């Protein structure tokens, strides 16, 4: 409900600027860690939403699999619905994760979901930087006529690794940056 699409412009949540409490499980690593921020996904049985805090000043270090209650304000960043975190309460650790949903494209339905892309290839392996810098890089992947942008964040194990070859099976969290 917190992430429902905005009927007016299609960008962000229809509950934009609403303060809320959400309970769910942390998915993914903290993609804000290198900047001392918090940026991960919170999921429950009904869906997911991004969690963001500009400064990591929480009394707990959140890890994937932690069950938490997040309190904050709904907003969006470049189309990604998120909660700007005010506070968080740790409920439990090592909670099970959902099985990734197999998908062949990325859209609003896959935003903040754990998804699996199978049988894709790099469009141009030379576009994979040998010595990447900055916050990450984006490459194009293709399966048949479907072409997608794949973001490799600098907090990801693939950042700095050689370009993968052959067919790719990718598990990750659907995002949005437009």
């Amino acid at each position: 409900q917190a992430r429902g699409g905005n009927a007016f412009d299609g960008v962000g949540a229809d509950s934009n600027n609403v303060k809320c409490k959400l309970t769910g499980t942390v998915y993914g690593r903290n993609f804000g860690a290198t900047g001392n921020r918090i940026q991960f996904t919170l999921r429950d049985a009904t869906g997911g939403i991004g969690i963001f805090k500009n400064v990591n000043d929480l009394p707990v270090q959140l890890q994937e699999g932690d069950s938490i209650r997040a309190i904050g304000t709904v907003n969006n960043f470049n189309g990604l619905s998120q909660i700007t975190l005010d506070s968080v309460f740790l409920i439990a650790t090592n909670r099970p994760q959902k099985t990734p949903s197999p998908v062949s494209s990325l859209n609003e339905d896959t935003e903040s979901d754990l998804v699996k892309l199978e049988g894709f290839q790099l469009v141009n392996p030379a576009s994979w930087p040998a010595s990447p810098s900055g916050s990450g890089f984006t490459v194009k992947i293709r399966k048949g006529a479907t072409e997608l942008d794949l973001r490799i964040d600098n907090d990801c194990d693939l950042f700095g690794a050689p370009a993968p070859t052959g067919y790719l099976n990718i598990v990750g969290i659907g995002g949005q940056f437009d």
Side-chain angles (χ1 to χ4, degrees):
Q1 289 176 331
R3 199 178 69 80
N6 183 326
F8 297 108
D9 61 14
V11 177
D14 56 8
S15 52
N16 223 15
N17 298 316
V18 173
K19 190 131 178 139
C20 65
K21 290 182 195 176
L22 298 175
T23 302
T25 301
V26 172
Y27 275 71
R29 64 177 56 189
N30 179 9
F31 285 108
T34 57
N36 195 37
R37 296 183 315 272
I38 296 170
Q39 183 179 348
F40 57 83
T41 298
L42 181 68
R43 289 198 52 83
D44 67 8
T46 65
I49 191 164
I51 298 290
F52 179 79
K53 186 167 175 53
N54 199 35
V55 176
N56 188 352
D57 59 359
L58 297 177
V60 296
Q61 292 299 315
L62 300 175
Q63 302 292 323
E64 186 170 39
D66 286 349
S67 176
I68 64 169
R69 181 175 50 229
I71 300 171
T73 304
V74 178
N75 58 41
N76 77 77
F77 178 72
N78 284 333
L80 178 68
S81 296
Q82 64 183 20
I83 303 292
T84 299
L85 199 58
D86 293 331
S87 60
V88 67
F89 299 93
L90 182 63
I91 299 169
T93 59
N94 297 314
R95 302 298 300 150
Q97 305 279 293
K98 72 173 278 231
T99 300
S101 302
V103 298
S104 57
S105 65
L106 301 172
N107 54 40
E108 291 291 333
D109 293 334
T110 61
E111 182 179 310
S112 296
D113 191 9
L114 184 62
V115 297
K116 183 176 187 179
L117 297 164
E118 296 180 294
F120 280 77
Q121 292 180 293
L122 288 173
V123 170
N124 178 8
S127 67
W128 189 283
S131 299
S133 61
S135 63
F137 60 91
T138 302
V139 294
K140 293 207 176 286
I141 58 173
R142 177 185 305 138
K143 179 179 181 180
T146 301
E147 194 170 286
L148 304 171
D149 288 333
L150 177 65
R151 177 78 176 161
I152 307 298
D153 190 274
N154 66 355
D155 291 307
C156 174
D157 294 340
L158 292 174
F159 189 84
T165 59
Y167 291 97
L168 308 174
N169 294 325
I170 302 162
V171 173
I173 298 171
Q176 186 168 331
F177 192 81
D178 59 25

